[in-house]
Amino acid sequence: MPTKRVLVSDEAKEVIDQLREQHGPLMFHQSGGCCDGSSPMCYPDGDFKLGRSDVKIGEIHGVPFYIERQQFEYWKHTQLTVDVKPGRGSSFSLEIPMGVRFIVDSRIYTEEEEADLDPVERVDA
Amino acid sequence: MVYDRPQLEERYLNYIGGEFVEPVNGQYFDNPSPIDGKDFTQIPRSTQEDVDNAVAAAQKAFDETWRHTSVTDRANMLNRIADITEANLEHLALVDTIDNGKPIRETLAADLPLVVDHFRYFAGVIRAQEGGISELDEDTVSINLHEPLGVVGQIIPWNFPLLMAAWKLAPALAAGNCVVIKPAEQTPVSIMEWLELVQDEIPAGVVNVVHGFGPEAGKPLAQHEGIKKIAFTGETTTGRLIMQYASENLIPMTLELGGKSPNVFFESVMDADDDFFDKCLEGAAMFALNQGEVCTCPSRILVQESIADAFLERLTARVNAIKVGNPLDDSTMVGAQASNDQYEKIQKYLKIGKEEGAEVLAGGDVARNAEPQMSVAEGGGTATATGTATGVGGDGAASGDGAGSIPEGGYYIQPTVFKGDNDMRVFQEEIFGPVVSVTTFKDEEEAIRISNETLYGLGAGVWTRDAHQLYRVPRAIEAGRVWVNCYHLYPAHAAFGGYKKSGIGRENHKMMLSHYQQTKNMLVSYSKKALGFF
């Protein structure tokens, strides 16, 4: 079975469930750059306009996870785990009013895993 | 010397139409200090209705008074604001230190003096700004005049709370706009303490502040039909959202989205062990300024192979002498990271950097007070590194109080030097912590190539004694600001902004006015004759 590119912690699943109850279907987009960059952003599905510059690298707890293709080039050798920590990241990510912040934990794939990874889907926007 | 914490309000309000007002829904959130992780005040948890009220107040002020004020009046107001800020510099510096965790010596010597200077700079340039007039033919004259946009929205980051507000406020007000600001939810306090001081100088409704969380208050501001421009500093995904929202209203935006700035050291820097080389070492250690929470953090050091070993030995010693500790202590060089999630995120990067095979030359962990009873057997290399990285070493001056210099409960990271390759994630992502990644290059061509191998292009540093290099290399680096034989200087008179994915538009400098002004062209005919078409 192919190795997943994005995983999710149990704590993050609980937060996703609460957000889904409040906002309906969700999406993640991995940010880069300044301040809260490198944090995953969670929005109501469709709120963030995807483009052909984005790729989908998996689904976590039923929520699609996207990242910009060029950024993914630097991330693709690492498996991501979306976790959640107490904190107050600024951005428009939905969990922030709850006093928690999604963050990404990363680890390098083994050679065997790297030979059989989940496919990366282009976004046909 | 450790400064006392000033008395602050138990609760702050929004500032709308010249009044301090409660949020419509009556809700607040707790605001902690990263120094010790403890809540010290409450901040409005505003929503759409508060943003609506602020935009309406700003529009009213714009229509009724502000758009009719003279540039002299506006410049005088900015100068008075600068004077009041300067007279209260220490208090405001303390507030930013408590709310953000940055060391008091930086807020006293950099943040606040730059705030003051920024208001004075824009007070000056707006008086000197001229439109244009051209005689197109003997009967036709074209006049270009500057006009304000109207109500503008500004979303402020948390890394330099009052300075980043000043960067956006000063040009917007100088140009004659009214402003609705949403401060960062991590650092909402200093702008309120500042407004208490300067409010009498600002006509009601010209500056409005709405606090709250991004999805609840930031988004309604960015999407508001009443604003004529939105300015944002932050990260790329939110930057794209801001563009998306601006497109809904067909308004302009400026974005500053960070970077992964290279700091390039050519071999000539070690031709002599002199003042200039000392400056170079400080320049390399500048990654630790503001705990690395700077969009232009020089977080990649590129050093020429021929000097790499000697240079890194000197740099490591310099970094190990950095004192981490209580931000209110004026000998502290690196304070607390601004929030717990930031602290957690940096630790993830320390972990992935080590996993990817980067060598740890200094630091590499969170900063805690050294264990008082550490046995000699345990006190190997790691423990020694920890001790020096937290500044207990050196001349021993900081180790006297026994209780340790790092407050409990706060978010402290050791200044960290990684050595590795430019394709590692710690070389490509903005960690926003006191973490630098070092790699080497053979020659000028390779230095330029590695410098540009990044998605971003905000800042860069070039250090050399070679007069040819110090022109040629900065021109070849794709970044909006290249510091040459210096780093981390932010004069109001120098344009600042990004190439590539680091953003759109500029801040600072007179040219910033163009982001807050329309051009009105009056085309005047002095001919009495019809054109002859109809």
Side-chain angles (χ1 to χ4, degrees), chain B residues 27 32 55 89 99 155 186 200 241 293 309 313 320 329 347 379 399-400 432 438 442 445 459 467 471 530:
Chain B
Q27 290 189 28
V55 172
L89 195 141
D99 208 12
I155 298 178
Q186 292 96 329
D200 292 344
L241 260 187
E293 292 169 345
D309 289 346
E313 194 184 328
N320 283 335
D329 184 333
Q347 291 177 56
S399 59
F432 238 52
V438 183
K442 283 192 183 57
E445 193 186 353
Y471 188 77

Side-chain angles (χ1 to χ4, degrees), chain A residues 22 29-39 41 43-44 46-51 53-54 68 70-71 74-80 83 85-99 101 103-108, chain B residues 29-32 45 155 157-158 184-186 213-216 218-219 222 233-238 240-242 244-245 257-259 295 339-342 344-345 348-349 351-352 355-356 423 425 428-430 432 453-456 501:
Chain A
Q22 211 181 334
H29 192 273
Q30 174 61 50
S31 190
C34 197
C35 304
D36 298 76
S38 319
S39 298
M41 302 293 172
Y43 303 123
D47 220 40
F48 177 87
K49 190 186 177 310
L50 294 164
S53 57
D54 296 304
E68 206 170 60
Q70 291 178 350
Q71 188 176 339
Y74 290 113
W75 289 53
K76 64 185 180 189
H77 61 293
T78 55
Q79 184 180 49
L80 312 180
D83 195 5
K85 295 282 178 192
R88 182 155 291 142
S90 66
S91 76
F92 294 179
S93 197
L94 287 174
E95 79 284 9
I96 286 169
M98 298 165 67
R101 186 72 185 93
I103 64 171
V104 155
D105 195 9
S106 312
R107 87 175 169 90
I108 315 258
Chain B
F29 62 88
D30 293 325
N31 181 54
R45 184 177 166 180
I155 298 178
W158 44 261
E185 46 268 58
Q186 292 96 329
F213 298 124
E216 296 176 345
K219 183 180 170 187
T233 297
E235 29 60 52
T236 56
T237 296
T238 311
R240 281 175 60 181
L241 260 187
I242 296 284
Q244 187 184 312
Y245 296 151
L257 306 178
C295 304
S339 64
N340 182 57
D341 50 297
Q342 197 57 31
E344 298 275 355
K345 188 179 87 178
K348 301 287 186 197
Y349 277 108
K351 173 176 156 268
I352 191 73
E355 266 188 39
E356 281 188 295
D423 56 0
R425 284 188 49 190
Q428 290 296 333
E429 293 159 38
E430 187 163 339
F432 238 52
E453 273 177 2
T454 167
L455 300 175
Y456 306 100
K501 291 191 195 296

Side-chain angles (χ1 to χ4, degrees), chain B residues 456-479:
Chain B
Y456 306 100
L458 189 59
V462 174
W463 301 79
T464 176
R465 297 177 200 256
D466 178 328
H468 301 278
Q469 271 174 345
L470 65 79
Y471 188 77
R472 219 161 37 211
V473 177
R475 289 300 305 274
I477 293 177
E478 296 161 356

Side-chain angles (χ1 to χ4, degrees), chain B residues 405-426:
Chain B
S405 57
I406 300 179
E408 291 297 316
Y411 317 128
Y412 300 88
I413 302 275
Q414 296 170 358
T416 295
V417 182
F418 278 126
K419 186 164 184 283
D421 302 318
N422 196 51
D423 56 0
M424 291 176 174
R425 284 188 49 190
V426 289

Side-chain angles (χ1 to χ4, degrees), chain B residues 113-184:
Chain B
L114 285 169
V115 169
V116 172
D117 187 57
H118 219 74
F119 281 106
R120 290 195 176 129
Y121 175 79
F122 279 100
V125 294
I126 196 65
R127 295 287 298 273
Q129 190 187 34
E130 291 189 10
I133 184 163
S134 307
E135 187 187 85
L136 306 187
D137 59 48
E138 66 177 359
D139 287 324
T140 314
V141 174
S142 164
I143 304 170
N144 287 325
L145 283 170
H146 302 292
E147 292 185 354
L149 298 176
V151 178
V152 299
Q154 303 182 324
I155 298 178
I156 311 299
W158 44 261
N159 55 350
F160 294 85
L162 206 49
L163 180 58
M164 292 300 102
W167 273 24
K168 288 183 167 51
L169 263 177
L173 296 177
N177 301 281
C178 291
V179 177
V180 179
I181 279 192
K182 195 194 89 65

